[in-house]
PDB file of all heavy atoms in Angstrom:
ATOM      1  N   PRO A 319      36.308 -37.647 146.394  1.00 92.00           N
ATOM      2  CA  PRO A 319      35.362 -37.466 145.259  1.00 92.00           C
ATOM      3  C   PRO A 319      36.105 -36.820 144.060  1.00 92.00           C
ATOM      4  O   PRO A 319      37.003 -36.017 144.241  1.00 92.00           O
ATOM      5  CB  PRO A 319      34.282 -36.542 145.795  1.00 92.00           C
ATOM      6  CG  PRO A 319      34.944 -35.869 146.973  1.00 92.00           C
ATOM      7  CD  PRO A 319      35.921 -36.856 147.538  1.00 92.00           C
ATOM      8  N   SER A 320      35.677 -37.232 142.864  1.00 91.00           N
ATOM      9  CA  SER A 320      36.366 -36.699 141.671  1.00 91.00           C
ATOM     10  C   SER A 320      35.364 -36.256 140.600  1.00 91.00           C
ATOM     11  O   SER A 320      35.729 -36.074 139.448  1.00 91.00           O
ATOM     12  CB  SER A 320      37.271 -37.800 141.079  1.00 91.00           C
ATOM     13  OG  SER A 320      36.549 -38.990 140.775  1.00 91.00           O
ATOM     14  N   MET A 321      34.104 -36.057 141.006  1.00 93.00           N
ATOM     15  CA  MET A 321      33.127 -35.625 140.069  1.00 93.00           C
ATOM     16  C   MET A 321      33.479 -34.258 139.407  1.00 93.00           C
ATOM     17  O   MET A 321      33.229 -34.084 138.221  1.00 93.00           O
ATOM     18  CB  MET A 321      31.756 -35.524 140.718  1.00 93.00           C
ATOM     19  CG  MET A 321      30.603 -35.230 139.763  1.00 93.00           C
ATOM     20  SD  MET A 321      29.010 -35.194 140.587  1.00 93.00           S
ATOM     21  CE  MET A 321      28.873 -36.902 141.169  1.00 93.00           C
ATOM     22  N   ASP A 322      34.115 -33.381 140.205  1.00 91.00           N
ATOM     23  CA  ASP A 322      34.502 -32.065 139.682  1.00 91.00           C
ATOM     24  C   ASP A 322      35.694 -32.169 138.728  1.00 91.00           C
ATOM     25  O   ASP A 322      36.021 -31.167 138.098  1.00 91.00           O
ATOM     26  CB  ASP A 322      34.792 -31.144 140.827  1.00 91.00           C
ATOM     27  CG  ASP A 322      35.939 -31.656 141.710  1.00 91.00           C
ATOM     28  OD1 ASP A 322      36.124 -32.852 141.754  1.00 91.00           O
ATOM     29  OD2 ASP A 322      36.598 -30.829 142.342  1.00 91.00           O
ATOM     30  N   MET A 323      36.289 -33.355 138.620  1.00 92.00           N
ATOM     31  CA  MET A 323      37.420 -33.507 137.724  1.00 92.00           C
ATOM     32  C   MET A 323      37.030 -34.058 136.346  1.00 92.00           C
ATOM     33  O   MET A 323      37.882 -34.191 135.456  1.00 92.00           O
ATOM     34  CB  MET A 323      38.453 -34.443 138.365  1.00 92.00           C
ATOM     35  CG  MET A 323      39.025 -33.948 139.646  1.00 92.00           C
ATOM     36  SD  MET A 323      40.308 -35.021 140.349  1.00 92.00           S
ATOM     37  CE  MET A 323      41.682 -34.749 139.215  1.00 92.00           C
ATOM     38  N   LEU A 324      35.742 -34.357 136.172  1.00 93.00           N
ATOM     39  CA  LEU A 324      35.272 -34.840 134.876  1.00 93.00           C
ATOM     40  C   LEU A 324      35.215 -33.686 133.857  1.00 93.00           C
ATOM     41  O   LEU A 324      34.607 -32.640 134.185  1.00 93.00           O
ATOM     42  CB  LEU A 324      33.920 -35.535 134.993  1.00 93.00           C
ATOM     43  CG  LEU A 324      33.815 -36.721 135.947  1.00 93.00           C
ATOM     44  CD1 LEU A 324      32.421 -37.297 135.960  1.00 93.00           C
ATOM     45  CD2 LEU A 324      34.819 -37.797 135.520  1.00 93.00           C
ATOM     46  N   LEU A 325      35.799 -33.871 132.723  1.00 90.00           N
ATOM     47  CA  LEU A 325      35.878 -32.791 131.690  1.00 90.00           C
ATOM     48  C   LEU A 325      34.868 -33.043 130.621  1.00 90.00           C
ATOM     49  O   LEU A 325      35.060 -33.929 129.741  1.00 90.00           O
ATOM     50  CB  LEU A 325      37.305 -32.740 131.114  1.00 90.00           C
ATOM     51  CG  LEU A 325      38.434 -32.527 132.127  1.00 90.00           C
ATOM     52  CD1 LEU A 325      39.780 -32.558 131.382  1.00 90.00           C
ATOM     53  CD2 LEU A 325      38.258 -31.184 132.851  1.00 90.00           C
ATOM     54  N   PHE A 326      33.768 -32.321 130.613  1.00 89.00           N
ATOM     55  CA  PHE A 326      32.736 -32.436 129.575  1.00 89.00           C
ATOM     56  C   PHE A 326      32.756 -31.317 128.578  1.00 89.00           C
ATOM     57  O   PHE A 326      32.006 -31.334 127.583  1.00 89.00           O
ATOM     58  CB  PHE A 326      31.346 -32.523 130.236  1.00 89.00           C
ATOM     59  CG  PHE A 326      31.199 -33.707 131.108  1.00 89.00           C
ATOM     60  CD1 PHE A 326      30.840 -33.608 132.413  1.00 89.00           C
ATOM     61  CD2 PHE A 326      31.385 -34.995 130.587  1.00 89.00           C
ATOM     62  CE1 PHE A 326      30.682 -34.722 133.223  1.00 89.00           C
ATOM     63  CE2 PHE A 326      31.240 -36.141 131.387  1.00 89.00           C
ATOM     64  CZ  PHE A 326      30.857 -35.988 132.718  1.00 89.00           C
ATOM     65  N   SER A 327      33.590 -30.277 128.786  1.00 84.00           N
ATOM     66  CA  SER A 327      33.667 -29.188 127.868  1.00 84.00           C
ATOM     67  C   SER A 327      35.106 -28.814 127.540  1.00 84.00           C
ATOM     68  O   SER A 327      35.420 -27.657 127.320  1.00 84.00           O
ATOM     69  CB  SER A 327      32.946 -27.982 128.474  1.00 84.00           C
ATOM     70  OG  SER A 327      33.534 -27.592 129.681  1.00 84.00           O
ATOM     71  N   SER A 328      35.940 -29.809 127.505  1.00 82.00           N
ATOM     72  CA  SER A 328      37.367 -29.595 127.271  1.00 82.00           C
ATOM     73  C   SER A 328      37.695 -29.832 125.785  1.00 82.00           C
ATOM     74  O   SER A 328      36.952 -30.536 125.102  1.00 82.00           O
ATOM     75  CB  SER A 328      38.207 -30.504 128.137  1.00 82.00           C
ATOM     76  OG  SER A 328      39.551 -30.511 127.738  1.00 82.00           O
ATOM     77  N   SER A 329      38.788 -29.261 125.349  1.00 87.00           N
ATOM     78  CA  SER A 329      39.254 -29.494 123.998  1.00 87.00           C
ATOM     79  C   SER A 329      39.761 -30.921 123.826  1.00 87.00           C
ATOM     80  O   SER A 329      39.942 -31.398 122.693  1.00 87.00           O
ATOM     81  CB  SER A 329      40.370 -28.512 123.625  1.00 87.00           C
ATOM     82  OG  SER A 329      41.450 -28.644 124.517  1.00 87.00           O
ATOM     83  N   HIS A 330      39.987 -31.617 124.956  1.00 90.00           N
ATOM     84  CA  HIS A 330      40.438 -32.995 124.910  1.00 90.00           C
ATOM     85  C   HIS A 330      39.317 -33.996 125.075  1.00 90.00           C
ATOM     86  O   HIS A 330      39.542 -35.169 125.284  1.00 90.00           O
ATOM     87  CB  HIS A 330      41.498 -33.234 126.056  1.00 90.00           C
ATOM     88  CG  HIS A 330      42.641 -32.309 126.009  1.00 90.00           C
ATOM     89  ND1 HIS A 330      43.576 -32.358 124.991  1.00 90.00           N
ATOM     90  CD2 HIS A 330      43.017 -31.325 126.833  1.00 90.00           C
ATOM     91  CE1 HIS A 330      44.533 -31.445 125.230  1.00 90.00           C
ATOM     92  NE2 HIS A 330      44.222 -30.802 126.314  1.00 90.00           N
ATOM     93  N   LEU A 331      38.065 -33.504 124.974  1.00 92.00           N
ATOM     94  CA  LEU A 331      36.904 -34.392 125.219  1.00 92.00           C
ATOM     95  C   LEU A 331      36.868 -35.546 124.233  1.00 92.00           C
ATOM     96  O   LEU A 331      36.553 -36.699 124.587  1.00 92.00           O
ATOM     97  CB  LEU A 331      35.615 -33.577 125.139  1.00 92.00           C
ATOM     98  CG  LEU A 331      34.338 -34.362 125.377  1.00 92.00           C
ATOM     99  CD1 LEU A 331      34.326 -34.970 126.769  1.00 92.00           C
ATOM    100  CD2 LEU A 331      33.108 -33.464 125.169  1.00 92.00           C
ATOM    101  N   ALA A 332      37.243 -35.295 122.979  1.00 92.00           N
ATOM    102  CA  ALA A 332      37.156 -36.323 121.946  1.00 92.00           C
ATOM    103  C   ALA A 332      38.058 -37.506 122.254  1.00 92.00           C
ATOM    104  O   ALA A 332      37.649 -38.686 122.147  1.00 92.00           O
ATOM    105  CB  ALA A 332      37.553 -35.730 120.584  1.00 92.00           C
ATOM    106  N   VAL A 333      39.285 -37.235 122.731  1.00 93.00           N
ATOM    107  CA  VAL A 333      40.188 -38.351 123.046  1.00 93.00           C
ATOM    108  C   VAL A 333      39.706 -39.093 124.291  1.00 93.00           C
ATOM    109  O   VAL A 333      39.878 -40.296 124.372  1.00 93.00           O
ATOM    110  CB  VAL A 333      41.649 -37.853 123.249  1.00 93.00           C
ATOM    111  CG1 VAL A 333      41.778 -37.061 124.550  1.00 93.00           C
ATOM    112  CG2 VAL A 333      42.606 -39.034 123.260  1.00 93.00           C
TER     113      VAL A 333
END
Side-chain angles (χ1 to χ4, degrees):
S320 57
M321 187 177 297
D322 59 336
M323 299 182 72
L324 300 180
L325 301 177
F326 296 123
S327 59
S328 168
S329 59
H330 303 293
L331 181 60
V333 71

